[in-house]
Amino acid sequence: MQSVIQEGTEEQLPEGPLGLEFSQVHFSYNQDKPVLHDITFAIKPGERLGIIGRTGSGKSSLSRVLLRLYNLDRGTIRVGGTDTTKLSLQALYRRVGMVTQDVQLFDGTLRDNLTLFNGDVSDQMIKETTDRLGLSQWINSQPEGLDTYLAAGGASLSAGEAQLFALTRVFLTEPSLVILDEPSSRLDAATEGMLQSAIDQLMKQSTGVIIAHRLATLEKVDRIMVLGDGKVLEFGAREELASNPASHYARLLITGREEELA
Ligand SMILES: Nc1ncnc2c1ncn2[C@@H]1O[C@H](COP(=O)(O)OP(=O)(O)OP(=O)(O)O)[C@@H](O)[C@H]1O
Ligand SMILES: [Mg+2]
């Protein structure tokens, strides 16, 4: 069978953090029900965008079409100035990392799961990264450290641990654009703190798109997008939106109703 995703031949993307641009993007899983409607926005290299919106508004779908897991109905997505359909998938995946809401684990050791079986990643590099992300203590507390065996499915990790783990995995690939789909489940304060500092570290070298389910995550972003029913309801600089009492974001800040971020 031939994949419906036709990849391009372009291999080159600019060095360093990559800009991102959606231009009149329309998308649906099934013809009858549009999921993304006329999405247009741009963020510059190194900027951080926080996306919020009620459950089912299309946040995860937006990240999936960005990674070319589905074809668009219409419109263009550019990464580093290049239309993603013109890029080879390898070129795209080498530079763009994604942490999904549900973390996939494979039958293998902790090390295998962190490096995705890439033997070129040294234990030293894993150690430096996990130290920086505040994950070393947790790894050391596992019965055999990096050699601890994990079963597929990931029942052995809590939601917060799984996210820290997935961040480390993406961190090790040194991406230039990161998409982070936060878990919507509640995390304890300690894990939340660790996650926040890990996210900060990860975003230092890259452009970031963070699908946020907690107000605290949004404190560090430059821009905010509010999605509703697959449409952009609001897009702007975080500080401007915060100081405009009529904005969705300002209302969220006042009411503190995090459940509306779900
Ligand atoms: N694989 C799929 N096939 C068909 N429809 C889908 C699929 N995945 C999602 N949808 C639909 O697309 C819409 C947007 O879903 P999406 O997962 O993008 O929402 P979300 O904003 O990420 O929600 P949440 O906050 O719960 O994660 C929903 O109506 C959903 O039912
Ligand atoms: Mg989602």
Side-chain angles (χ1 to χ4, degrees):
M1 289 213 306
Q2 212 182 352
S3 167
V4 292
I5 307 289
Q6 300 275 336
E7 54 180 320
T9 52
E10 183 63 45
E11 298 287 341
Q12 290 300 321
L13 281 171
E15 303 265 310
L18 294 167
L20 172 68
E21 193 187 333
F22 273 54
S23 176
Q24 297 174 338
V25 168
H26 292 255
F27 168 69
S28 54
Y29 293 97
N30 315 300
Q31 293 300 339
D32 48 325
K33 189 171 164 275
V35 170
L36 296 176
H37 184 84
D38 201 17
I39 307 284
T40 299
F41 71 90
I43 52 172
K44 295 195 188 77
E47 275 187 337
R48 296 183 192 187
L49 168 68
I51 302 182
I52 54 179
R54 287 176 186 276
T55 195
S57 56
K59 304 180 299 293
S60 297
S61 303
L62 192 147
S63 66
R64 293 184 199 122
V65 294
L66 169 48
L67 279 181
R68 297 219 61 211
L69 302 182
Y70 296 91
N71 281 323
L72 302 178
D73 297 336
R74 258 186 303 151
T76 315
I77 300 173
R78 290 191 185 81
V79 167
T82 305
D83 180 343
T84 53
T85 61
K86 305 273 191 291
L87 280 168
S88 78
L89 290 178
Q90 239 232 333
L92 183 66
Y93 295 156
R94 214 167 27 223
R95 302 288 301 282
V96 182
M98 173 147 89
V99 181
T100 55
Q101 277 173 304
D102 312 299
V103 176
Q104 200 76 47
L105 290 181
F106 303 98
D107 258 326
T109 62
L110 254 171
R111 179 189 297 100
D112 297 334
N113 269 284
L114 282 173
T115 63
L116 292 179
F117 302 90
N118 178 355
D120 294 341
V121 181
S122 67
D123 279 9
Q124 180 59 28
M125 189 168 171
I126 298 177
K127 191 181 174 305
E128 280 170 20
T129 306
T130 52
D131 278 350
R132 206 148 19 123
L133 295 184
L135 209 64
S136 312
Q137 212 188 344
W138 174 69
I139 289 176
N140 293 336
S141 74
Q142 299 299 303
E144 290 171 71
L146 282 176
D147 294 312
T148 307
Y149 185 82
L150 293 181
S156 41
L157 301 184
S158 74
E161 285 172 342
Q163 282 279 312
L164 280 170
F165 186 87
L167 276 170
T168 311
R169 185 191 268 171
V170 167
F171 207 116
L172 285 166
T173 69
E174 302 180 318
S176 305
L177 169 64
V178 182
I179 305 140
L180 169 67
D181 206 344
E182 273 194 338
S184 34
S185 49
R186 299 250 147 229
L187 305 175
D188 62 77
T191 312
E192 188 162 318
M194 274 198 285
L195 251 181
Q196 191 55 53
S197 73
I199 293 169
D200 288 346
Q201 288 291 339
L202 181 61
M203 302 281 166
K204 272 194 185 131
Q205 265 85 272
S206 74
T207 309
V209 175
I210 306 168
I211 298 171
H213 294 277
R214 297 167 302 135
L215 280 171
T217 315
L218 292 171
E219 282 164 20
K220 303 284 179 66
V221 306
D222 304 298
R223 286 175 194 280
I224 286 178
M225 176 193 289
V226 183
L227 268 185
D229 278 334
K231 300 190 188 82
V232 179
L233 301 182
E234 189 166 287
F235 178 83
R238 187 184 58 81
E239 279 163 19
E240 277 169 33
L241 293 177
S243 61
N244 172 3
S247 76
H248 287 272
Y249 178 54
R251 273 181 278 153
L252 264 173
L253 284 178
I254 292 162
T255 60
R257 289 170 67 134
E258 282 197 334
E259 60 274 18
E260 295 192 11
L261 297 177

